[in-house]
Amino acid sequence: MKQSEIKQLSTAELQEKLSETKKSYSDLKMAHAISPLDNPIQLRAVRRTVARLATELTKRDGQ
C-alpha cells in the first residue's frame, strides 16, 4: 500500500487496515516458521506497510 493511498483513508479505516495488516503479518511469520515462504520478501513488504499505517495514525493524533 502506497503512502498516497494511506493519506486518503479516514482514521477509522486506518485503524481497521492496521489491525488487518498486523494479523496478516502474524500469519505470514507463522507460515514462514513452519515452512519457508516462496517469496520471503513479502514479510518485509507487509512489515513496512504496518509501519506506514502506524506512522500516519500517529501523525494524525499529533494534529
Side-chain angles (χ1 to χ4, degrees):
M1 181 169 245
K2 296 188 179 208
Q3 190 66 27
S4 59
E5 296 170 355
I6 292 172
K7 285 184 179 183
Q8 294 174 353
L9 297 175
S10 70
T11 305
E13 289 173 330
L14 273 176
Q15 291 172 341
E16 182 181 331
K17 196 73 158 167
L18 181 60
S19 65
E20 289 174 8
T21 310
K22 281 184 177 181
K23 171 116 175 63
S24 171
Y25 180 65
S26 173
D27 292 344
L28 274 175
K29 272 181 43 176
M30 188 65 71
H32 187 62
I34 294 169
S35 65
L37 294 174
D38 292 336
N39 186 6
I41 302 300
Q42 283 178 305
L43 288 170
R44 184 189 318 164
V46 175
R47 187 174 64 238
R48 289 181 179 179
T49 301
V50 167
R52 284 187 189 103
L53 291 167
T55 301
E56 184 63 27
L57 273 174
T58 304
K59 189 188 307 182
R60 289 184 187 189
D61 287 342
Q63 291 180 353

